[in-house]
Amino acid sequence: MTDTTSTLISQRARSDWIRLRTLIMLRWVAIVGQIVAITVAVYQLDVDLNLGLCFLVICASVIVNLVATFVYPENKRLSEAQAVWMLLFDISQLILLLYLTGGLHNPFALLILVPVTISATVLTLQSTMLIGSVALCLTTFVAIYAKPLSNTAGEIFRLDVLYIFGFWLAIVIGTVFLAAYARRVSNEIHSMSEALLATQMALAREQKLTDLGGVVAAAAHELGTPLATIKLVSSEMLDELEDGTDLREDAKLIGEQAERCREILRSMGRAGKDDLHMHSGPFEAVVREAAEPHLDRGKEIHFAFAPAPSGTFQQPEIRRQSEIIHGVRNLVQNAVDFSAKNVWVEGGWTDTRLHLRIIDDGPGFPTQVIGRIGEPFVRKRRPSEKPRRPGYEGMGLGLFIAKTLLERTGAEVSFANGADPFLSEAERPPKCGAVVEVAWQLKTLEVPRGGSDGLGENERFDAPT
């Protein structure tokens, strides 16, 4: 299977997605809010503030916004460094304004959380830690050194030291918690979207291969007659030409090459016959087709299909869907990759359900991640750890793709281990590795037998009256 992880978007690439226009709009909102808050505080609440310095700090934001608006195009996307500098400027501007308006005595000090949360959402961990550290250090500074708030009569508004310490501690905890929460949610959203992208790519690739097989099958069908004619003519020429002549050898070569062309086209079109018989097949045949690319990889794959006690002897006929082929193929690939020697593919059916079980004799799923099997996640490899499959990055995408594709067909997929991982080698049963179970409602996949002759229905034309 083609490695889809190489096409996924890295965290650093995602950090370049933030638009300058987004930060400009957020800054305009902050500027309007700051002007309104200062105006209300001075003219309605009778707070004594240095309006000149306060509006000078606000004007700095206005100038930066105007320069960014007129210098850069509207579709400008910021790099990692540019986004960091923009957020650091916003933090510095807010801290300076807080310094002039009472420090942590100003309830709007809580807004210091906004730049850090934005960084945790779109930037890398290193940039978020830098911005968070600067924000907390500057918050601590204004908690100690800030101009006190007072009214025009000279009365100073001062909270108790214990309240100021509690407010500072709340900002610190809130900054850390919100940044961690926003980053975790953002990473999960990005991981899920990337994994779904990989799923769509895998399904599109499977569909293209199926379509290509149909084209090759059609070409083999169309070329069959001229190749048969060439072979027939070459045979007649062989009968008429004398042995040992160059013309006889040429005629013999023509016949051999014509036969070779027919074999090549027949083998290429083997998986893609464009008729209704190839749109469905017995349950075992569809599963074997999915597992076929992994049959010659040095591991023994054992197939066992039998009806359950309440099932009929005849195998159900199911649709040969790309989702089923690719999903089962990924599960078999994972089992072959991590097995020691053997893989078991067991299927069964009842009157209402189909079930498939894929088992290997490998180490099984790690106990610490078995609850997350089927979700996209990243596991960092140690430099000394040798990968079990070339190019495999440990993102869990193979199982996620398989689970997602199979669930699209109505399947229920579950993961387990065949034995306790803490058992010794002598105590472990043969089927001791990973166990993947897939179950369908039979009515979602079954194709009624006898409803088609495999060639499709002819169009009906009613005679004119």
Side-chain angles (χ1 to χ4, degrees), residues 390-401:
Y392 181 74
E393 299 296 334
M395 294 187 70
L397 285 181
L399 290 177
F400 173 83
I401 291 173

Side-chain angles (χ1 to χ4, degrees), residues 9-27:
I9 302 166
S10 64
Q11 169 66 37
R12 185 164 296 276
R14 293 201 304 264
S15 67
D16 294 340
W17 286 358
I18 184 170
R19 294 195 307 167
L20 176 62
R21 184 178 181 85
T22 301
L23 292 184
I24 290 175
M25 292 299 298
L26 291 175
R27 191 177 290 126

Side-chain angles (χ1 to χ4, degrees), residues 104-307:
L104 294 191
H105 292 82
N106 188 336
F108 290 101
L110 193 65
L111 293 177
I112 198 68
L113 299 173
V114 176
V116 182
T117 305
I118 293 175
S119 174
T121 304
V122 297
L123 300 182
T124 60
L125 179 61
Q126 292 80 1
S127 299
T128 302
M129 293 180 65
L130 171 63
I131 293 174
S133 300
V134 171
L136 294 181
C137 290
L138 293 179
T139 302
T140 305
F141 172 80
V142 296
I144 302 174
Y145 307 101
K147 290 188 176 183
L149 281 176
S150 62
N151 56 18
T152 54
E155 182 182 356
I156 297 178
F157 305 113
R158 185 181 298 276
L159 295 174
D160 189 83
V161 175
L162 182 61
Y163 286 101
I164 293 297
F165 174 76
F167 192 23
W168 172 84
L169 187 61
I171 291 177
V172 172
I173 295 176
T175 300
V176 174
F177 174 78
L178 282 180
Y181 180 81
R183 182 164 188 82
R184 178 64 182 268
V185 172
S186 176
N187 283 343
E188 288 186 357
I189 292 174
H190 285 310
S191 297
M192 187 62 66
S193 62
E194 290 175 359
L196 289 173
L197 174 61
T199 303
Q200 294 297 329
M201 291 169 58
L203 184 58
R205 175 178 177 272
E206 186 69 29
Q207 188 62 49
K208 286 182 179 179
L209 291 176
T210 302
D211 295 341
L212 180 60
V215 172
V216 173
H221 175 74
E222 295 296 330
L223 292 175
T225 300
L227 288 175
T229 302
I230 294 173
K231 185 171 179 59
L232 177 61
V233 172
S234 64
S235 300
E236 293 178 352
M237 292 174 63
L238 283 174
D239 294 337
E240 296 180 3
L241 294 174
E242 298 180 0
D243 293 338
T245 61
D246 293 337
L247 291 178
R248 182 180 176 84
E249 293 298 325
D250 291 341
K252 182 179 179 181
L253 180 61
I254 291 173
E256 292 174 351
Q257 294 304 310
E259 183 63 28
R260 184 184 177 192
C261 289
R262 292 180 62 184
E263 292 296 330
I264 292 174
L265 289 172
R266 186 181 298 113
S267 63
M268 290 176 64
R270 180 174 44 141
K273 298 292 190 297
D274 193 20
D275 57 54
L276 296 184
H277 280 310
M278 296 305 294
H279 293 171
S280 63
F283 182 37
E284 181 177 0
V286 175
V287 174
R288 283 182 177 271
E289 178 184 340
E292 184 179 2
H294 306 292
L295 295 178
D296 56 352
R297 293 184 52 195
K299 306 295 178 64
E300 190 71 24
I301 300 181
H302 309 274
F303 293 92
F305 287 79

Side-chain angles (χ1 to χ4, degrees), residues 13-61:
R14 293 201 304 264
S15 67
D16 294 340
W17 286 358
I18 184 170
R19 294 195 307 167
L20 176 62
R21 184 178 181 85
T22 301
L23 292 184
I24 290 175
M25 292 299 298
L26 291 175
R27 191 177 290 126
W28 281 126
V29 173
I31 289 171
V32 173
Q34 291 168 359
I35 293 175
V36 171
I38 290 176
T39 302
V40 171
V42 171
Y43 295 104
Q44 296 295 326
L45 303 179
D46 199 27
V47 178
D48 185 21
L49 295 177
N50 190 329
L51 288 179
L53 290 178
C54 289
F55 282 110
L56 183 63
V57 174
I58 296 175
C59 282
S61 284

Side-chain angles (χ1 to χ4, degrees), residues 335-354:
V336 171
D337 285 335
F338 293 95
S339 66
K341 295 180 180 178
N342 297 282
V343 174
W344 292 268
V345 179
E346 302 173 349
W349 57 91
T350 66
D351 292 336
T352 58
R353 289 178 66 84
L354 284 174

